[in-house]
Amino acid sequence: MESKNNIKNFDKLLENYAKLAIEIGVNVQKDEDVLIKAPVEFPLFVQKLVKASYERGANEVFVEYKDENLLKLKYLNEKQNILNNVHDFEIEKLRYLYKERKVNVINVVGEDPDIFKDIDAKIIAQSNAKKSEKIKEFRKYTMNDIISWLVISIPTEKWAKKVFPNSKESVNDLWKEIFKTSRVDESYEKTKENWNKHIENLNKRADFLNSKKFKRLIYTSENGTNLHVNLPKNHIWLSAGSKNEKGNYFIPNIPTEEVFSAPDKFGVNGKLVATKPLVYNGVVINDFYFEFKDGKVINSFAKENNDTLNEMLNMDENSKYLGEIALVPYNSPISLSNILFFNTLFDENASCHFALGEAYPTCVENGANLNSEELEKIGLNTSVIHEDFMVGNKDLNITAINENNEEITIFKDGIWAF
């Protein structure tokens, strides 16, 4: 349901937010196709995305609406073998859109963090694992940046109420934060200027890290984190944007504050304590940690929803290994808001984080051209999941070790040290 709002110049901000998604996010080119996946709650934003796509010169725009309440009914009523199934026509649709049409994919998110809290975690985990395995050939189109893709958010009522439980205008409050942290201005020219400066700053951070060719990072924090992370040979630090197979630059996440790469799958040892809750399959996992040996999680515990954490770790044989390492300063705009969003897109951009599961092949030289077996040989993890969790805080220190075994501090008290 679309709520009334009292945000000044809301229509203009919303229009600029949509243009940002189309022109800078996926960067639609003339005669390209666009696929928009969005919650049913706010069709006006979808309409503006479609309008901006056609104004950009799009050939055809496909829209898929998502209703998590209907999905909940499926979990409550369907047999497991039905939940696990992916129909042939669904596979053909993915093949047509991703392989043949090479669509620009926009995934609009705004889930209720607690939607599936009363559902057996095993039911959801098994369904997701089976379905992910059946459509894994299409994951490479986004994981390898073959096509342009974007994750962006709109506030839904249940999500907004979770973030602002005491507000009578929670949806409006969340809209304000989304516009602010996404650097959206009433002037679209100013919005573009904001993003150009932001991208330039993140690129400078990535360029510095790439120039040093570090072989290991050491994380320490007063909360108990003490982790050694090896980096694969010829790894690449990436920042806000990527290039698709056509060479067109796009921004996969709005907002974004991270500089990221991939860890060596078997080179992670020590303890890692999460600093924010993780929303996984409509369940909030809170106050948790992992212990790693030779890259694998050998011990873990969550005070809240530990069973869901275990289901995530057992999605496949590689879900206990890390696939992403990301650096985000504690003084990022999202962090400074002091808001817990219960949404990975936002919370991961308030905090240094890691991801369990699949690594982005583009994080090593020539990685996009390697198959799963070849990626494993050079130390990149492959999995049916890619789940980010947050570890940054105001006393996190990160020391980097270069090829000459020299130590360089890259994070001091939670922020960049260079």
Side-chain angles (χ1 to χ4, degrees):
M1 184 177 76
E2 298 181 17
S3 301
K4 294 182 179 180
N5 67 76
N6 56 7
I7 300 173
K8 182 180 178 181
N9 294 323
F10 176 78
D11 286 343
K12 187 61 178 177
L13 289 167
L14 189 66
E15 180 180 316
N16 290 345
Y17 188 46
K19 290 178 68 175
L20 171 65
I22 299 303
E23 297 183 10
I24 296 178
V26 285
N27 187 14
V28 174
Q29 302 296 299
K30 183 175 174 56
D31 294 328
E32 290 184 341
D33 298 317
V34 180
L35 170 62
I36 300 167
K37 306 176 183 180
V40 297
E41 282 90 342
F42 204 82
L44 178 59
F45 181 59
V46 175
Q47 293 165 16
K48 289 188 178 295
L49 287 173
V50 173
K51 182 174 182 288
S53 297
Y54 287 130
E55 290 176 345
R56 185 74 169 174
N59 175 63
E60 188 171 5
V61 181
F62 305 89
V63 175
E64 295 179 1
Y65 281 110
K66 303 175 290 184
D67 187 336
E68 58 189 3
N69 290 303
L70 294 182
L71 182 56
K72 183 175 182 178
L73 287 171
K74 289 175 70 69
Y75 286 138
L76 288 170
N77 292 281
E78 291 184 355
K79 297 177 181 178
Q80 189 70 59
N81 67 310
I82 301 298
L83 291 171
N84 296 351
N85 189 39
V86 179
H87 294 284
D88 290 343
F89 74 86
E90 295 175 294
I91 297 293
E92 286 305 312
K93 182 178 180 180
L94 289 171
R95 182 173 292 112
Y96 176 71
L97 292 173
Y98 284 67
K99 186 175 182 179
E100 295 184 25
R101 301 295 287 268
K102 300 290 181 66
V103 292
N104 297 275
V105 179
I106 301 172
N107 191 16
V108 184
V109 298
E111 289 81 5
D112 173 4
D114 297 315
I115 184 69
F116 303 132
K117 66 179 182 180
D118 298 323
I119 307 293
D120 186 343
K122 292 182 179 180
I123 293 175
I124 301 174
Q126 185 182 141
S127 175
N128 287 344
K130 295 294 185 181
K131 288 184 174 181
S132 295
E133 182 64 27
K134 291 174 182 177
I135 64 171
K136 68 178 181 180
E137 67 175 292
F138 303 107
R139 285 172 58 86
K140 70 178 181 181
Y141 286 91
T142 52
M143 294 299 293
N144 292 24
D145 294 338
I146 296 172
I147 59 177
S148 296
W149 57 279
L150 168 68
V151 182
I152 194 168
S153 283
I154 59 169
T156 56
E157 290 191 5
K158 291 290 183 65
W159 175 31
K161 201 63 181 177
K162 181 76 173 182
V163 179
F164 299 104
N166 300 317
S167 173
K168 294 181 179 179
E169 297 184 342
S170 57
V171 172
N172 292 337
D173 292 339
L174 189 49
W175 264 124
K176 291 175 184 178
E177 292 302 324
I178 288 175
F179 288 145
K180 180 180 179 181
T181 56
S182 299
R183 294 176 165 80
V184 177
D185 191 87
E186 294 175 13
S187 161
Y188 186 62
E189 290 303 314
K190 179 63 175 178
T191 299
K192 290 195 295 184
E193 181 183 335
N194 292 342
W195 273 90
N196 288 336
K197 290 181 178 179
H198 182 48
I199 291 168
E200 181 181 3
N201 179 56
L202 289 176
N203 286 343
K204 286 180 180 179
R205 304 288 186 187
D207 289 345
F208 174 84
L209 294 170
N210 285 322
S211 71
K212 296 301 181 180
K213 299 186 184 302
F214 294 123
K215 66 178 184 180
R216 184 182 306 114
L217 299 183
I218 301 172
Y219 285 62
T220 57
S221 173
E222 293 179 5
N223 66 8
T225 286
N226 191 328
L227 191 77
H228 289 230
V229 184
N230 291 346
L231 300 171
K233 187 177 181 181
N234 298 323
H235 68 275
I236 300 172
W237 288 96
L238 301 171
S239 56
S242 300
K243 288 185 177 181
N244 64 23
E245 70 171 6
K246 297 179 182 178
N248 297 324
Y249 189 82
F250 69 98
I251 307 293
N253 287 180
I254 293 178
T256 183
E257 301 289 337
E258 66 182 331
V259 176
F260 67 97
S261 190
D264 182 339
K265 175 179 179 178
F266 301 107
V268 182
N269 290 278
K271 185 174 183 177
L272 191 54
V273 179
T275 54
K276 291 179 181 290
L278 166 63
V279 179
Y280 178 72
N281 287 342
V283 177
V284 179
I285 304 171
N286 201 8
D287 201 358
F288 61 99
Y289 68 85
F290 302 108
E291 292 179 353
F292 294 86
K293 181 175 175 56
D294 297 330
K296 187 176 184 178
V297 175
I298 59 169
N299 188 31
S300 66
F301 180 74
K303 288 186 178 179
E304 183 179 350
N305 290 313
N306 188 58
D307 56 340
T308 301
L309 180 66
N310 288 331
E311 292 297 335
M312 181 180 73
L313 288 170
N314 289 290
M315 284 289 284
D316 65 18
E317 61 182 9
N318 287 331
S319 53
K320 291 184 179 179
Y321 294 86
L322 293 176
E324 180 186 351
I325 177 172
L327 305 177
V328 179
Y330 189 71
N331 60 357
S332 76
I334 299 174
S335 178
L336 292 176
S337 73
N338 291 317
I339 295 171
L340 181 60
F341 285 89
F342 297 97
N343 178 296
T344 299
L345 176 62
F346 286 85
D347 290 334
E348 73 170 7
N349 284 299
S351 169
C352 284
H353 57 274
F354 289 87
L356 287 161
E358 184 98 347
Y360 291 106
T362 50
C363 288
V364 293
E365 293 179 14
N366 194 45
N369 298 317
L370 303 180
N371 60 36
S372 297
E373 292 74 19
E374 292 168 330
L375 289 170
E376 290 274 344
K377 286 181 181 179
I378 62 173
L380 263 67
N381 193 30
T382 59
S383 174
V384 298
I385 70 166
H386 178 95
E387 295 296 334
D388 299 276
F389 61 95
M390 286 56 77
V391 301
N393 59 22
K394 62 183 179 181
D395 61 40
L396 177 67
N397 295 316
I398 305 175
T399 302
I401 312 296
N402 66 18
E403 294 174 338
N404 297 320
N405 290 319
E406 298 169 330
E407 296 187 359
I408 299 175
T409 300
I410 60 173
F411 260 62
K412 176 66 175 175
D413 294 329
I415 62 175
W416 294 108
F418 61 87

